[in-house]
Amino acid sequence: MERSAGSRRRRRHSRPVLNGALAVVAAGTLTVTGLVSTAQAADVNNARNAGFESGLANWSCSANSGATVSSPVRSGTSALKATPAGQDNAKCSQTVKVKPNSAYSLSSWVQGGYAYLGVSGTGTTDTSTWTPGSSSWTKLSTSFRTGAGTTSVTVYTHGWYGQAAYFADDVEVTGPDGGGGGEEPPVVPATPAGLTAGATTTTSVALSWNAVSGATGYKVYRNGTQATTATGTSATVSGLTADTAYQFSVSATNAAGESAKSAAITARTAKPGTGPGPGPAVPKHAVTGYWQNFNNGAAVQKLTDVPADYDIIAVSFADATPTPGRVTFNLDTAGLNGYTDAQFRADIKTKQAQGKNVIISIGGELGTVRVDSDASATEFANSVYALMQDYGFNGVDIDLENGLNATYMSKALRQLSAKAGSGLVITMAPQTIDMQSTSGEYFKTALNIKDILTVVNMQYYNSGSMLGCDGKVYSQGSVDFLTALACIQLENGLAPSQVGIGVPASTRGAGSGYVAPSVVNAALDCLTRGTSCGSFKPSKTYPSLRGAMTWSTNWDATAGFAWSKAVGPHVRNLP
């Protein structure tokens, strides 16, 4: 698509001869100073994919902080959005070919939070410029000169720690052609691969596929006719007929056009009235507690020792196996004072008869379960479902603190949902840094499976300071930390019923971030009723907020159940 004034493919031309007389003088007096100059090659924009029309092709962004968006854009159809989080400043860079001993101008249009533009590796003086942020497109400009041996430089943008996301578009590195030949138009993306059907209902089929480099969107086809579009790598096709087979395919799109359709797959919608029956219903407002399958100095418990204040009990943890994605479970009978496997299984049924959900948690601080391929996603879904069938677990908790791949974990959970049916309970316990931005892998996973997700109980501890939804930085251990960070999830795609507040049950339950139960209750009131807030007060209330979570029921027992006795009744009395 042609851009506005200043098109990247436009070149400056040599100065024309002014008149015939000057031509005669120039021909007869070749040595007259100022009348003759050596023809110079036209300047070009040496940056590639300068308008992000081919996604993030040619660009590299730190900590997966960058993504292309369709709004806001300065020109074309795409722009860069990069989101700082924690100790990452959302740096996106490109290696640009240049000529030695040459002058270049560098510019980019930016919007949003703090935005920096700079260049390094010049061989002379590296340079940068910045703006504290703008609600409209602002041009950043600087210049540099290359050294005698410089054939490439690194051009970059970045934001600032704890600040809002920034947007960038129309990057220009204007000067002599360094060998890249100037900006090239985007090319049609490749055909998507890995199309997989996930959860099905009587009227819908969930689909997912692998990302395609340079794609800015995808088209989903049902029986050869376009059914829907997506900007990510998953979509749900609805409006279908029960117990009916459909063919699905997907294509990738960008400004250059549309790829060929993927190989078609067949998926059948569910039959009316079939599938596993649901387990106990999760209450509108619920308390989640982690039960420790190990002895670390906290009170050792049987499942039946967990108080009735807990509605969801997450058994911690499943064990990894040598097969990627596959998990198993081994009760620590010795560490739990002789608690037998038979007693454990019977206690699961007892808790379920009391209306409680007992789920298996995957991960933890030392968990090394990896789901980063189609094969490992299938292994994960199959092995978790096998544990559900074997022990009677009602669902799964995702507490992976050592890396998570949104694409494949989403596929795994959808496959599990297709097996387990509508009664499946899915909870997540990300760290605070994982939920600072929708571009983070945890946040993307939560949004990818929003239709089957029960609750995200973010861990508001072992964190340090973090950004709230108002752009301010808050320190852990305060009501503002709980409410301002919860607001990010509440205002960026999750339903209030899918958001819970996760805290330690006692000062011994975590390295830092403990807050008294009264602070948890104040945060719940602030978010649901607009009362008991600190300096941060959300712009609206969220009466259907799910509730709270604690690590762990064992540490709660060690402290005389002070946490559950205070928070449990309060959660049940939320609006």
PDB file of all heavy atoms in Angstrom, residues 131-157:
ATOM      1  N   THR A 131      11.119  11.019  24.111  1.00  0.00           N
ATOM      2  CA  THR A 131       9.992  11.854  24.498  1.00  0.00           C
ATOM      3  C   THR A 131       9.313  11.211  25.696  1.00  0.00           C
ATOM      4  O   THR A 131       9.262   9.973  25.779  1.00  0.00           O
ATOM      5  CB  THR A 131       8.976  12.019  23.352  1.00  0.00           C
ATOM      6  OG1 THR A 131       7.840  12.766  23.810  1.00  0.00           O
ATOM      7  CG2 THR A 131       8.495  10.673  22.840  1.00  0.00           C
ATOM      8  N   PRO A 132       8.802  11.993  26.651  1.00  0.00           N
ATOM      9  CA  PRO A 132       8.148  11.416  27.832  1.00  0.00           C
ATOM     10  C   PRO A 132       6.774  10.839  27.542  1.00  0.00           C
ATOM     11  O   PRO A 132       6.121  10.317  28.442  1.00  0.00           O
ATOM     12  CB  PRO A 132       8.055  12.601  28.788  1.00  0.00           C
ATOM     13  CG  PRO A 132       8.036  13.793  27.909  1.00  0.00           C
ATOM     14  CD  PRO A 132       8.935  13.460  26.750  1.00  0.00           C
ATOM     15  N   GLY A 133       6.321  10.918  26.315  1.00  0.00           N
ATOM     16  CA  GLY A 133       5.033  10.329  25.966  1.00  0.00           C
ATOM     17  C   GLY A 133       4.111  11.336  25.315  1.00  0.00           C
ATOM     18  O   GLY A 133       4.229  12.544  25.513  1.00  0.00           O
ATOM     19  N   SER A 134       3.180  10.807  24.520  1.00  0.00           N
ATOM     20  CA  SER A 134       2.255  11.674  23.798  1.00  0.00           C
ATOM     21  C   SER A 134       0.999  10.887  23.449  1.00  0.00           C
ATOM     22  O   SER A 134       1.058   9.682  23.180  1.00  0.00           O
ATOM     23  CB  SER A 134       2.914  12.201  22.515  1.00  0.00           C
ATOM     24  OG  SER A 134       1.976  12.892  21.718  1.00  0.00           O
ATOM     25  N   SER A 135      -0.126  11.553  23.449  1.00  0.00           N
ATOM     26  CA  SER A 135      -1.386  10.915  23.079  1.00  0.00           C
ATOM     27  C   SER A 135      -1.607  10.917  21.573  1.00  0.00           C
ATOM     28  O   SER A 135      -2.574  10.352  21.085  1.00  0.00           O
ATOM     29  CB  SER A 135      -2.557  11.623  23.770  1.00  0.00           C
ATOM     30  OG  SER A 135      -2.600  12.991  23.380  1.00  0.00           O
ATOM     31  N   SER A 136      -0.723  11.574  20.830  1.00  0.00           N
ATOM     32  CA  SER A 136      -0.817  11.585  19.364  1.00  0.00           C
ATOM     33  C   SER A 136       0.567  11.294  18.797  1.00  0.00           C
ATOM     34  O   SER A 136       1.574  11.299  19.506  1.00  0.00           O
ATOM     35  CB  SER A 136      -1.318  12.945  18.868  1.00  0.00           C
ATOM     36  OG  SER A 136      -0.446  13.984  19.279  1.00  0.00           O
ATOM     37  N   TRP A 137       0.630  11.041  17.508  1.00  0.00           N
ATOM     38  CA  TRP A 137       1.897  10.688  16.886  1.00  0.00           C
ATOM     39  C   TRP A 137       2.873  11.864  16.928  1.00  0.00           C
ATOM     40  O   TRP A 137       2.529  12.989  16.549  1.00  0.00           O
ATOM     41  CB  TRP A 137       1.677  10.244  15.442  1.00  0.00           C
ATOM     42  CG  TRP A 137       1.035   8.899  15.338  1.00  0.00           C
ATOM     43  CD1 TRP A 137      -0.256   8.622  14.991  1.00  0.00           C
ATOM     44  CD2 TRP A 137       1.648   7.633  15.614  1.00  0.00           C
ATOM     45  NE1 TRP A 137      -0.490   7.276  15.035  1.00  0.00           N
ATOM     46  CE2 TRP A 137       0.660   6.638  15.412  1.00  0.00           C
ATOM     47  CE3 TRP A 137       2.927   7.251  16.025  1.00  0.00           C
ATOM     48  CZ2 TRP A 137       0.924   5.286  15.592  1.00  0.00           C
ATOM     49  CZ3 TRP A 137       3.179   5.896  16.198  1.00  0.00           C
ATOM     50  CH2 TRP A 137       2.196   4.934  15.986  1.00  0.00           C
ATOM     51  N   THR A 138       4.076  11.588  17.414  1.00  0.00           N
ATOM     52  CA  THR A 138       5.139  12.581  17.535  1.00  0.00           C
ATOM     53  C   THR A 138       6.387  12.051  16.839  1.00  0.00           C
ATOM     54  O   THR A 138       6.722  10.877  16.985  1.00  0.00           O
ATOM     55  CB  THR A 138       5.458  12.852  19.021  1.00  0.00           C
ATOM     56  OG1 THR A 138       4.272  13.327  19.670  1.00  0.00           O
ATOM     57  CG2 THR A 138       6.563  13.879  19.160  1.00  0.00           C
ATOM     58  N   LYS A 139       7.080  12.919  16.105  1.00  0.00           N
ATOM     59  CA  LYS A 139       8.266  12.475  15.373  1.00  0.00           C
ATOM     60  C   LYS A 139       9.526  12.693  16.206  1.00  0.00           C
ATOM     61  O   LYS A 139       9.782  13.782  16.695  1.00  0.00           O
ATOM     62  CB  LYS A 139       8.396  13.223  14.050  1.00  0.00           C
ATOM     63  CG  LYS A 139       9.483  12.652  13.137  1.00  0.00           C
ATOM     64  CD  LYS A 139       9.490  13.337  11.786  1.00  0.00           C
ATOM     65  CE  LYS A 139      10.511  12.686  10.842  1.00  0.00           C
ATOM     66  NZ  LYS A 139      10.510  13.329   9.507  1.00  0.00           N
ATOM     67  N   LEU A 140      10.299  11.625  16.367  1.00  0.00           N
ATOM     68  CA  LEU A 140      11.619  11.701  16.973  1.00  0.00           C
ATOM     69  C   LEU A 140      12.659  11.686  15.864  1.00  0.00           C
ATOM     70  O   LEU A 140      12.564  10.877  14.932  1.00  0.00           O
ATOM     71  CB  LEU A 140      11.869  10.513  17.909  1.00  0.00           C
ATOM     72  CG  LEU A 140      11.057  10.467  19.213  1.00  0.00           C
ATOM     73  CD1 LEU A 140      11.350   9.178  19.971  1.00  0.00           C
ATOM     74  CD2 LEU A 140      11.359  11.678  20.079  1.00  0.00           C
ATOM     75  N   SER A 141      13.657  12.548  15.952  1.00  0.00           N
ATOM     76  CA  SER A 141      14.664  12.639  14.893  1.00  0.00           C
ATOM     77  C   SER A 141      16.044  12.859  15.499  1.00  0.00           C
ATOM     78  O   SER A 141      16.200  13.574  16.493  1.00  0.00           O
ATOM     79  CB  SER A 141      14.354  13.795  13.937  1.00  0.00           C
ATOM     80  OG  SER A 141      13.114  13.622  13.312  1.00  0.00           O
ATOM     81  N   THR A 142      17.047  12.256  14.886  1.00  0.00           N
ATOM     82  CA  THR A 142      18.442  12.487  15.228  1.00  0.00           C
ATOM     83  C   THR A 142      19.280  12.149  13.997  1.00  0.00           C
ATOM     84  O   THR A 142      18.734  11.824  12.948  1.00  0.00           O
ATOM     85  CB  THR A 142      18.870  11.645  16.457  1.00  0.00           C
ATOM     86  OG1 THR A 142      20.191  12.006  16.840  1.00  0.00           O
ATOM     87  CG2 THR A 142      18.806  10.167  16.152  1.00  0.00           C
ATOM     88  N   SER A 143      20.594  12.245  14.109  1.00  0.00           N
ATOM     89  CA  SER A 143      21.461  11.937  12.972  1.00  0.00           C
ATOM     90  C   SER A 143      22.766  11.333  13.478  1.00  0.00           C
ATOM     91  O   SER A 143      23.097  11.452  14.656  1.00  0.00           O
ATOM     92  CB  SER A 143      21.744  13.189  12.139  1.00  0.00           C
ATOM     93  OG  SER A 143      22.404  14.167  12.928  1.00  0.00           O
ATOM     94  N   PHE A 144      23.475  10.685  12.595  1.00  0.00           N
ATOM     95  CA  PHE A 144      24.748  10.092  12.978  1.00  0.00           C
ATOM     96  C   PHE A 144      25.643   9.957  11.749  1.00  0.00           C
ATOM     97  O   PHE A 144      25.168  10.051  10.611  1.00  0.00           O
ATOM     98  CB  PHE A 144      24.538   8.721  13.631  1.00  0.00           C
ATOM     99  CG  PHE A 144      23.921   7.683  12.736  1.00  0.00           C
ATOM    100  CD1 PHE A 144      24.714   6.788  12.015  1.00  0.00           C
ATOM    101  CD2 PHE A 144      22.536   7.580  12.614  1.00  0.00           C
ATOM    102  CE1 PHE A 144      24.149   5.824  11.193  1.00  0.00           C
ATOM    103  CE2 PHE A 144      21.959   6.619  11.787  1.00  0.00           C
ATOM    104  CZ  PHE A 144      22.772   5.741  11.078  1.00  0.00           C
ATOM    105  N   ARG A 145      26.906   9.718  12.001  1.00  0.00           N
ATOM    106  CA  ARG A 145      27.866   9.482  10.925  1.00  0.00           C
ATOM    107  C   ARG A 145      28.588   8.174  11.209  1.00  0.00           C
ATOM    108  O   ARG A 145      28.935   7.876  12.346  1.00  0.00           O
ATOM    109  CB  ARG A 145      28.868  10.626  10.801  1.00  0.00           C
ATOM    110  CG  ARG A 145      29.792  10.510   9.588  1.00  0.00           C
ATOM    111  CD  ARG A 145      30.630  11.748   9.352  1.00  0.00           C
ATOM    112  NE  ARG A 145      31.392  11.601   8.114  1.00  0.00           N
ATOM    113  CZ  ARG A 145      30.926  11.876   6.910  1.00  0.00           C
ATOM    114  NH1 ARG A 145      29.680  12.328   6.779  1.00  0.00           N
ATOM    115  NH2 ARG A 145      31.668  11.703   5.832  1.00  0.00           N
ATOM    116  N   THR A 146      28.810   7.389  10.166  1.00  0.00           N
ATOM    117  CA  THR A 146      29.477   6.107  10.338  1.00  0.00           C
ATOM    118  C   THR A 146      30.988   6.262  10.283  1.00  0.00           C
ATOM    119  O   THR A 146      31.523   7.180   9.659  1.00  0.00           O
ATOM    120  CB  THR A 146      29.024   5.122   9.251  1.00  0.00           C
ATOM    121  OG1 THR A 146      29.271   5.702   7.961  1.00  0.00           O
ATOM    122  CG2 THR A 146      27.548   4.816   9.385  1.00  0.00           C
ATOM    123  N   GLY A 147      31.671   5.318  10.927  1.00  0.00           N
ATOM    124  CA  GLY A 147      33.121   5.313  10.922  1.00  0.00           C
ATOM    125  C   GLY A 147      33.687   4.678   9.666  1.00  0.00           C
ATOM    126  O   GLY A 147      32.955   4.152   8.812  1.00  0.00           O
ATOM    127  N   ALA A 148      35.016   4.682   9.575  1.00  0.00           N
ATOM    128  CA  ALA A 148      35.691   4.200   8.367  1.00  0.00           C
ATOM    129  C   ALA A 148      35.454   2.717   8.121  1.00  0.00           C
ATOM    130  O   ALA A 148      35.464   2.266   6.967  1.00  0.00           O
ATOM    131  CB  ALA A 148      37.191   4.480   8.477  1.00  0.00           C
ATOM    132  N   GLY A 149      35.225   1.940   9.172  1.00  0.00           N
ATOM    133  CA  GLY A 149      35.033   0.504   8.984  1.00  0.00           C
ATOM    134  C   GLY A 149      33.616   0.038   9.282  1.00  0.00           C
ATOM    135  O   GLY A 149      33.372  -1.163   9.410  1.00  0.00           O
ATOM    136  N   THR A 150      32.674   0.950   9.389  1.00  0.00           N
ATOM    137  CA  THR A 150      31.309   0.596   9.791  1.00  0.00           C
ATOM    138  C   THR A 150      30.458   0.224   8.576  1.00  0.00           C
ATOM    139  O   THR A 150      30.283   1.034   7.662  1.00  0.00           O
ATOM    140  CB  THR A 150      30.639   1.769  10.533  1.00  0.00           C
ATOM    141  OG1 THR A 150      31.446   2.132  11.648  1.00  0.00           O
ATOM    142  CG2 THR A 150      29.250   1.375  11.010  1.00  0.00           C
ATOM    143  N   THR A 151      29.936  -0.993   8.580  1.00  0.00           N
ATOM    144  CA  THR A 151      29.065  -1.450   7.493  1.00  0.00           C
ATOM    145  C   THR A 151      27.654  -1.762   7.979  1.00  0.00           C
ATOM    146  O   THR A 151      26.773  -2.057   7.175  1.00  0.00           O
ATOM    147  CB  THR A 151      29.650  -2.701   6.823  1.00  0.00           C
ATOM    148  OG1 THR A 151      29.823  -3.727   7.819  1.00  0.00           O
ATOM    149  CG2 THR A 151      30.981  -2.389   6.159  1.00  0.00           C
ATOM    150  N   SER A 152      27.435  -1.737   9.291  1.00  0.00           N
ATOM    151  CA  SER A 152      26.085  -1.929   9.822  1.00  0.00           C
ATOM    152  C   SER A 152      25.984  -1.258  11.177  1.00  0.00           C
ATOM    153  O   SER A 152      26.988  -1.106  11.884  1.00  0.00           O
ATOM    154  CB  SER A 152      25.735  -3.415   9.941  1.00  0.00           C
ATOM    155  OG  SER A 152      26.522  -4.044  10.926  1.00  0.00           O
ATOM    156  N   VAL A 153      24.791  -0.855  11.536  1.00  0.00           N
ATOM    157  CA  VAL A 153      24.517  -0.253  12.839  1.00  0.00           C
ATOM    158  C   VAL A 153      23.267  -0.913  13.406  1.00  0.00           C
ATOM    159  O   VAL A 153      22.514  -1.577  12.691  1.00  0.00           O
ATOM    160  CB  VAL A 153      24.309   1.272  12.737  1.00  0.00           C
ATOM    161  CG1 VAL A 153      25.562   1.968  12.257  1.00  0.00           C
ATOM    162  CG2 VAL A 153      23.119   1.595  11.818  1.00  0.00           C
ATOM    163  N   THR A 154      23.048  -0.725  14.690  1.00  0.00           N
ATOM    164  CA  THR A 154      21.820  -1.214  15.326  1.00  0.00           C
ATOM    165  C   THR A 154      20.926  -0.033  15.647  1.00  0.00           C
ATOM    166  O   THR A 154      21.314   0.865  16.402  1.00  0.00           O
ATOM    167  CB  THR A 154      22.138  -1.990  16.613  1.00  0.00           C
ATOM    168  OG1 THR A 154      22.945  -3.128  16.295  1.00  0.00           O
ATOM    169  CG2 THR A 154      20.851  -2.463  17.278  1.00  0.00           C
ATOM    170  N   VAL A 155      19.763  -0.035  15.065  1.00  0.00           N
ATOM    171  CA  VAL A 155      18.757   1.000  15.321  1.00  0.00           C
ATOM    172  C   VAL A 155      17.743   0.422  16.302  1.00  0.00           C
ATOM    173  O   VAL A 155      17.344  -0.745  16.178  1.00  0.00           O
ATOM    174  CB  VAL A 155      18.073   1.420  14.005  1.00  0.00           C
ATOM    175  CG1 VAL A 155      16.896   2.334  14.283  1.00  0.00           C
ATOM    176  CG2 VAL A 155      19.081   2.090  13.089  1.00  0.00           C
ATOM    177  N   TYR A 156      17.316   1.212  17.281  1.00  0.00           N
ATOM    178  CA  TYR A 156      16.438   0.657  18.309  1.00  0.00           C
ATOM    179  C   TYR A 156      15.423   1.686  18.788  1.00  0.00           C
ATOM    180  O   TYR A 156      15.604   2.909  18.656  1.00  0.00           O
ATOM    181  CB  TYR A 156      17.252   0.153  19.502  1.00  0.00           C
ATOM    182  CG  TYR A 156      18.062   1.235  20.194  1.00  0.00           C
ATOM    183  CD1 TYR A 156      17.496   2.042  21.192  1.00  0.00           C
ATOM    184  CD2 TYR A 156      19.404   1.457  19.856  1.00  0.00           C
ATOM    185  CE1 TYR A 156      18.236   3.034  21.819  1.00  0.00           C
ATOM    186  CE2 TYR A 156      20.156   2.449  20.481  1.00  0.00           C
ATOM    187  CZ  TYR A 156      19.563   3.226  21.464  1.00  0.00           C
ATOM    188  OH  TYR A 156      20.286   4.215  22.076  1.00  0.00           O
ATOM    189  N   THR A 157      14.356   1.144  19.355  1.00  0.00           N
ATOM    190  CA  THR A 157      13.393   1.922  20.129  1.00  0.00           C
ATOM    191  C   THR A 157      13.256   1.215  21.475  1.00  0.00           C
ATOM    192  O   THR A 157      13.461   0.010  21.574  1.00  0.00           O
ATOM    193  CB  THR A 157      12.011   1.983  19.459  1.00  0.00           C
ATOM    194  OG1 THR A 157      11.483   0.647  19.358  1.00  0.00           O
ATOM    195  CG2 THR A 157      12.095   2.594  18.069  1.00  0.00           C
TER     196      THR A 157
END
